[in-house]
Amino acid sequence: MVGLPARGKSLIAQKVVRYLHWLSIPAKTFNVGQYRRTETPTPSAEFFDTSNTEGERLRRAAAEAAINDMCKWFREGRGLIAIFDATNSVKSRRRWIQDRCQAEGIDTLFVESKCDDESIIMSNILEVKTTSPDYVGQDPEVAAQDFRDRIRNYEKVYQTLDEDEADLTYVKLIDVGKHVIINGIKDYLQSRVVYYLMNLHIKPRSIWLSRHGESRYNLEGKLGGDADISDRGEMYARALPGLVKQSVGDGRQLTVWTSTLKRTIQTARFLSFEKLEWKALDELDSGVCDGLTYAEVEERYPEDFVARDEDKYNYRYLGGESYRDVVIRLEPIIMELERSENILIVTHQAILRCIYAYFMNVPQERSPWMDIPLHTLIKLTPKAYSTLEEQFKADIPAVSTFREKGSSAKHQHSSGSSPSVTASNGSGAH
Amino acid sequence: MVGLPARGKSLIAQKVVRYLHWLSIPAKTFNVGQYRRTETPTPSAEFFDTSNTEGERLRRAAAEAAINDMCKWFREGRGLIAIFDATNSVKSRRRWIQDRCQAEGIDTLFVESKCDDESIIMSNILEVKTTSPDYVGQDPEVAAQDFRDRIRNYEKVYQTLDEDEADLTYVKLIDVGKHVIINGIKDYLQSRVVYYLMNLHIKPRSIWLSRHGESRYNLEGKLGGDADISDRGEMYARALPGLVKQSVGDGRQLTVWTSTLKRTIQTARFLSFEKLEWKALDELDSGVCDGLTYAEVEERYPEDFVARDEDKYNYRYLGGESYRDVVIRLEPIIMELERSENILIVTHQAILRCIYAYFMNVPQERSPWMDIPLHTLIKLTPKAYSTLEEQFKADIPAVSTFREKGSSAKHQHSSGSSPSVTASNGSGAH
């Protein structure tokens, strides 16, 4: 990373790591500030003055320690992409990083966040003064002033990436993607990361997620298929516009995305917004098990039934898909979600698990077992370092489609009256 | 488009149109040079001197005529993306385009190709002097000199896109993607086009394509499945390294991509190159028809059988895919192929048809009916305005899997001896 303090470097680093983990690419951030804090936990602005030789020495030592750990991490084969998160604000520092990496056979991609938009900088300063470990226990106003002074010390010496560094691979993000400069991209992974960075925006927005209403297959405990929604599913479809209104507020326009399967299209049909059908949102393909109940799967494919329990993320149905396969086909959806504002997605359990896992940073051992209840609208609101979740439950009963890991394959009939009988933690069917 | 002559503008325009057509996005190029030629078929360099007022007037008139036709094309709802292909080399001209488009409610994306790499410019000049309609019947050396003079006339007044035009959405491609500057991208379609442009390269390369060797399902005339290759398929697998050597030459390293299905992995297993399995290369999913013969499909789903014949590109098998669906899931493959050099793909008939259609610009009414014979290695070499195709046939018989449009569903047994019994024009199974 390259950039002055309060330019969203750590935020970008964190989003990229989350995205890479979601794609099963092992990645890790090495934050120089954290290393520096072991010696200097709460430095004042003058620590960052370049004429402060002791400060310089300590900051240099922290960078050394971080890069050493990073190189070790690569040598031990523990990951594919490391993010070296620091200001790296002068050319000599960047050259030093480049040389160290080259000596280790590590390719570099410098990502500069340059931002002159006062409102973005101010909101970052606000974030830092209240949450940074550098200012723990200090008066927020004093912290904000000290942080502004720290920025000024960096500004004195700051050198942006430019034609002197034409031999480096870099991307400059100016005012969060408004203007982007890309230099010397060499391979596919770099090009994917750059495309992801290009698509980031920081306008406030939410994403709404819902499973389709209960389907006739849900009632029978069958997998897959293209069944109609049940009578209770129909009730949910009719209730959905009200739930949306309750959580969105009046007047705001959403775009509704469904899969190409009947149960999602039927569920969305009373929403008076623009609608788009995506094949990529179709349910996980259960191949030869399509149309069977879990009990039938257990009977006909007992070994597969056990194998799936053991590694549900990687298990691919014969002639069908694994969760890993679904994540790959969902990538364009995630990319478009990052670009967009105000999308409501009506889709299927396994698909929602994957989308939810991306935003909520759920590890892949857990994501296939998450419970995403029927007849519930989920609202996700991405914040700087986390995503806020709200659930809006329709008071309409539905069968539970969850099956706990290692449990036998009994179909669970609905209790028929409780307002939200689907909830259960950490497990679910498909 | 923006850029001096001989900077590959028309080549880029043509590639983008081909890519968009492949994605079923109607697009069209409006080339100002073509409009200018109706009045001035073979202008000399001085026609392009800005002090030549009559030349200026005629060139202006050609731009007016082209933009009028373009606006009419949009108004008539005939397409989504028009490419206004001309040098558009000064700011006032670009502002005029922007204003004209804004008045019509058309979003603009300026794509500048800036190139100071002499070898690229020279090869473009070479192309122009031998193929441009402006120099028909002229001595190539005289043509080349005149063309250089024309470029010089443009250079005198050329203004690159810069911060004065920060309100425009633009991408500057410098030295064919080595350095890229992106400004003010607003929507998903723009972001997709920009990503495609970023990934283009013009290093000479070829792409090798092969279907898997004959499978046991091929022998039985069955669709889909995950069968092993037949004895003759095995012979093809053993012959493939020799075919590759014959067409690639010694020493060049390829990367081999297969699907996740056994018949492609088995076919590729004697090739001593790095291999990658892609789920996205799996055969078109025939849903409920998986494992059936065409005769069985005709018998069990007679209406589907007819519907598929009528619009094979859009027909989606119940619970399966259409060709249109396949194209969407192949997009990352095409993007990676554009970035890469020297890839050999071993995959399935429908998938090869889609990849082939992209490179060879086959319209979607025709692509699902193309014949891609078994036991044949296809080499595609992209050139400036076309793609060169070579076929290397293994002398190993195989069943024909083709079924002509409107024909009944008879399974065709192999003749068993002819060196390439699969060839047939314009039709094929799946």
Side-chain angles (χ1 to χ4, degrees):
Chain A
M1 303 303 303
V2 173
L4 290 168
R7 263 61 179 183
K9 293 186 301 300
S10 296
L11 174 58
I12 293 168
Q14 176 255 142
K15 285 202 80 155
V16 170
V17 166
R18 178 158 65 84
Y19 171 68
L20 293 170
H21 280 170
W22 186 72
L23 290 173
S24 299
I25 297 171
K28 184 172 156 63
T29 297
F30 293 82
N31 181 294
V32 174
Q34 273 171 27
Y35 285 81
R36 186 256 304 146
R37 269 188 285 277
T38 60
E39 290 284 326
T40 320
T42 53
S44 69
E46 64 208 32
F47 178 82
F48 299 95
D49 189 328
T50 45
S51 63
N52 177 340
T53 50
E54 178 62 4
E56 271 290 273
R57 192 187 65 76
L58 287 165
R59 291 194 293 135
R60 177 81 194 194
E64 287 271 7
I67 211 167
N68 286 339
D69 278 3
M70 185 185 85
C71 291
K72 186 161 167 279
W73 182 81
F74 273 118
R75 273 197 305 268
E76 290 171 352
R78 292 169 67 190
L80 277 179
I81 299 193
I83 303 191
F84 191 68
D85 183 15
T87 54
N88 300 313
S89 53
V90 294
K91 292 181 183 185
S92 57
R93 171 61 57 98
R94 298 195 285 268
R95 190 55 61 184
W96 171 73
I97 294 169
Q98 170 71 11
D99 292 345
R100 282 294 307 265
C101 287
Q102 202 159 27
E104 300 268 346
I106 301 163
D107 290 330
T108 51
L109 165 64
F110 290 86
V111 178
E112 178 173 356
S113 177
K114 199 165 180 303
C115 177
D116 303 318
D117 183 326
E118 272 302 319
S119 64
I120 296 173
I121 299 166
M122 280 313 296
S123 87
N124 276 323
I125 290 176
L126 198 77
E127 180 92 17
V128 165
K129 77 176 181 186
T130 51
T131 64
S132 168
D134 284 354
Y135 296 111
V136 166
Q138 292 195 28
D139 177 278
E141 287 321 304
V142 176
Q145 188 50 53
D146 182 86
F147 191 57
R148 280 198 201 87
D149 292 342
R150 185 197 296 191
I151 295 172
R152 211 147 298 134
N153 275 326
Y154 275 104
E155 279 170 346
K156 281 187 225 157
V157 294
Y158 184 58
Q159 295 170 311
T160 189
L161 280 157
D162 65 18
E163 54 278 7
D164 297 346
E165 292 165 289
D167 64 311
L168 301 182
T169 296
Y170 66 77
V171 51
K172 277 175 80 156
L173 304 165
I174 300 168
D175 291 338
V176 202
K178 211 187 138 354
H179 188 85
V180 180
I181 300 173
I182 300 162
N183 187 66
I185 294 296
K186 288 189 193 73
D187 67 30
Y188 184 68
L189 203 47
Q190 288 177 345
S191 125
R192 294 302 305 177
V193 170
V194 166
Y195 183 55
Y196 181 72
L197 292 169
M198 271 170 57
N199 281 311
L200 294 183
H201 76 75
I202 50 155
K203 277 172 257 164
R205 47 81 180 269
S206 297
I207 291 143
W208 287 264
L209 305 173
S210 171
R211 290 177 65 188
H212 53 79
E214 181 189 71
S215 76
R216 300 198 176 278
Y217 261 36
N218 290 151
L219 283 176
E220 297 165 27
K222 285 182 178 170
L223 297 175
D226 190 11
D228 292 312
I229 53 179
S230 70
D231 292 344
R232 295 189 303 201
E234 178 73 16
M235 284 166 70
Y236 179 66
R238 290 182 187 276
L240 192 52
L243 280 188
V244 170
K245 197 171 165 187
Q246 184 192 339
S247 88
V248 176
D250 271 326
R252 183 139 61 144
Q253 283 298 306
L254 304 186
T255 304
V256 179
W257 296 353
T258 67
S259 77
T260 67
L261 298 170
K262 283 189 288 187
R263 55 197 185 277
T264 66
I265 296 166
Q266 289 170 359
T267 303
R269 77 184 190 284
F270 299 110
L271 294 162
S272 58
F273 301 119
E274 193 192 336
K275 295 186 191 91
L276 255 180
E277 289 173 26
W278 289 81
K279 181 81 183 162
L281 289 173
D282 281 4
E283 181 55 311
L284 186 148
D285 180 356
S286 45
V288 294
C289 296
D290 190 82
L292 303 184
T293 64
Y294 275 121
E296 289 166 337
V297 173
E298 192 173 17
E299 192 189 306
R300 294 194 206 169
Y301 305 97
E303 284 163 31
D304 285 76
F305 192 79
V306 173
R308 189 157 197 261
D309 258 19
E310 266 167 21
D311 187 359
K312 196 171 176 187
Y313 189 83
N314 288 301
Y315 174 80
R316 179 182 286 153
Y317 278 109
L318 200 61
E321 291 179 303
S322 63
Y323 273 85
R324 180 181 297 279
D325 295 331
V326 168
V327 159
I328 291 166
R329 75 157 141 101
L330 281 177
E331 227 212 320
I333 297 277
I334 292 298
M335 212 60 96
E336 186 143 358
L337 278 177
E338 283 294 348
R339 280 206 75 78
S340 308
E341 297 160 62
N342 305 329
I343 304 289
L344 163 58
I345 302 180
V346 181
T347 177
H348 307 266
Q349 179 161 255
I351 308 306
L352 276 194
R353 281 183 180 137
C354 294
I355 295 172
Y356 185 94
Y358 169 77
F359 283 103
M360 303 302 282
N361 208 6
V362 182
Q364 63 191 41
E365 319 82 74
R366 270 211 349 256
S367 61
W369 296 102
M370 271 186 308
D371 181 49
I372 310 271
L374 281 166
H375 298 182
T376 305
L377 179 66
I378 297 172
K379 178 181 181 181
L380 299 180
T381 307
K383 301 278 178 192
Y385 290 95
S386 63
T387 301
L388 182 72
E389 177 183 357
E390 296 160 84
Q391 290 202 358
F392 299 82
K393 283 181 190 289
D395 188 10
I396 297 163
V399 293
S400 167
T401 57
F402 95 88
R403 186 182 68 77
E404 213 155 326
K405 184 167 178 168
S407 71
S408 75
K410 285 250 166 56
H411 177 52
Q412 319 215 341
H413 280 284
S414 160
S415 64
S417 64
S418 151
S420 63
V421 297
T422 60
S424 164
N425 50 2
S427 50
H430 222 286
Chain B
M1 303 300 305
V2 173
L4 289 168
R7 263 62 178 184
K9 292 185 303 298
S10 296
L11 173 58
I12 292 167
Q14 176 256 144
K15 285 201 81 157
V16 170
V17 166
R18 177 157 66 84
Y19 171 67
L20 292 170
H21 280 170
W22 186 73
L23 290 173
S24 301
I25 297 171
K28 184 171 157 65
T29 297
F30 292 83
N31 180 294
V32 173
Q34 274 172 25
Y35 285 80
R36 186 259 302 146
R37 268 187 287 278
T38 59
E39 289 284 324
T40 321
T42 53
S44 69
E46 63 209 31
F47 177 82
F48 299 93
D49 189 329
T50 45
S51 64
N52 178 339
T53 50
E54 178 61 4
E56 271 291 273
R57 194 187 64 76
L58 286 166
R59 292 194 292 135
R60 177 81 193 193
E64 287 271 9
I67 210 166
N68 287 339
D69 277 3
M70 185 185 84
C71 291
K72 185 160 168 281
W73 183 82
F74 274 118
R75 273 197 304 268
E76 290 171 354
R78 291 170 66 189
L80 277 179
I81 299 193
I83 303 191
F84 191 67
D85 183 15
T87 54
N88 300 314
S89 52
V90 294
K91 291 180 186 190
S92 56
R93 171 62 56 100
R94 297 196 284 270
R95 189 54 60 183
W96 171 74
I97 294 169
Q98 171 70 10
D99 292 345
R100 282 295 308 265
C101 287
Q102 203 159 25
E104 300 269 345
I106 301 164
D107 289 331
T108 51
L109 165 64
F110 290 86
V111 178
E112 177 173 357
S113 178
K114 199 165 179 302
C115 178
D116 302 318
D117 182 327
E118 270 302 321
S119 64
I120 296 173
I121 299 167
M122 279 313 295
S123 89
N124 275 322
I125 291 176
L126 198 77
E127 180 90 17
V128 166
K129 78 175 182 187
T130 51
T131 65
S132 168
D134 285 353
Y135 295 112
V136 166
Q138 291 196 29
D139 177 278
E141 287 321 304
V142 177
Q145 188 50 52
D146 182 85
F147 191 57
R148 279 196 203 88
D149 292 342
R150 184 196 296 191
I151 295 172
R152 211 147 298 134
N153 275 326
Y154 276 104
E155 279 169 347
K156 280 186 227 159
V157 294
Y158 184 58
Q159 294 170 311
T160 190
L161 280 157
D162 65 20
E163 54 277 8
D164 299 346
E165 291 165 289
D167 63 312
L168 302 182
T169 295
Y170 65 78
V171 51
K172 276 174 79 154
L173 305 165
I174 300 169
D175 291 338
V176 201
K178 212 185 138 354
H179 189 83
V180 180
I181 299 172
I182 301 161
N183 187 66
I185 295 295
K186 287 188 195 74
D187 68 30
Y188 185 68
L189 202 48
Q190 288 177 345
S191 128
R192 294 304 305 178
V193 170
V194 167
Y195 183 55
Y196 180 73
L197 292 169
M198 271 170 59
N199 281 312
L200 294 183
H201 76 75
I202 50 155
K203 278 173 256 164
R205 48 76 180 270
S206 297
I207 290 143
W208 287 264
L209 305 172
S210 172
R211 290 177 64 187
H212 54 80
E214 182 189 71
S215 76
R216 299 198 179 279
Y217 260 37
N218 290 151
L219 282 175
E220 296 164 30
K222 286 182 179 170
L223 297 175
D226 190 12
D228 293 312
I229 54 178
S230 71
D231 293 345
R232 294 189 303 202
E234 178 72 17
M235 285 167 68
Y236 179 66
R238 290 180 187 278
L240 191 52
L243 280 188
V244 170
K245 197 170 163 186
Q246 183 192 339
S247 86
V248 176
D250 272 326
R252 181 139 62 144
Q253 283 298 306
L254 305 186
T255 304
V256 179
W257 296 353
T258 67
S259 76
T260 67
L261 298 170
K262 284 190 287 188
R263 55 197 186 276
T264 66
I265 296 166
Q266 289 170 358
T267 303
R269 76 186 191 284
F270 300 110
L271 294 163
S272 57
F273 301 118
E274 194 193 336
K275 294 186 193 92
L276 256 182
E277 288 173 26
W278 289 82
K279 181 79 182 165
L281 289 173
D282 281 5
E283 181 56 310
L284 186 149
D285 181 354
S286 43
V288 293
C289 296
D290 191 82
L292 303 184
T293 64
Y294 275 121
E296 288 166 336
V297 173
E298 192 172 17
E299 193 188 305
R300 294 193 206 173
Y301 305 96
E303 283 163 29
D304 286 77
F305 192 80
V306 172
R308 189 158 198 260
D309 259 19
E310 267 168 21
D311 187 359
K312 196 172 177 186
Y313 189 82
N314 288 301
Y315 174 80
R316 180 182 285 156
Y317 278 110
L318 200 61
E321 291 179 303
S322 64
Y323 272 85
R324 180 181 297 277
D325 295 331
V326 168
V327 159
I328 291 167
R329 75 157 141 104
L330 281 177
E331 227 212 318
I333 298 275
I334 291 298
M335 212 60 94
E336 187 144 357
L337 278 176
E338 282 294 346
R339 281 207 73 77
S340 309
E341 296 159 62
N342 305 326
I343 305 288
L344 163 58
I345 302 179
V346 181
T347 178
H348 307 266
Q349 181 162 254
I351 309 304
L352 277 193
R353 281 184 179 134
C354 293
I355 296 172
Y356 185 94
Y358 169 78
F359 283 102
M360 304 303 281
N361 209 5
V362 182
Q364 64 191 40
E365 317 82 72
R366 268 211 351 256
S367 61
W369 296 102
M370 271 187 308
D371 181 49
I372 311 271
L374 281 167
H375 299 180
T376 304
L377 180 66
I378 297 172
K379 179 181 182 181
L380 300 181
T381 306
K383 299 280 178 192
Y385 291 94
S386 62
T387 301
L388 183 72
E389 176 183 0
E390 296 161 84
Q391 291 204 358
F392 299 83
K393 284 181 189 291
D395 188 10
I396 298 163
V399 293
S400 168
T401 56
F402 95 87
R403 185 183 69 78
E404 213 155 326
K405 184 168 178 167
S407 71
S408 74
K410 282 251 166 55
H411 177 54
Q412 317 216 344
H413 280 283
S414 160
S415 64
S417 61
S418 151
S420 63
V421 295
T422 59
S424 165
N425 48 3
S427 50
H430 221 282

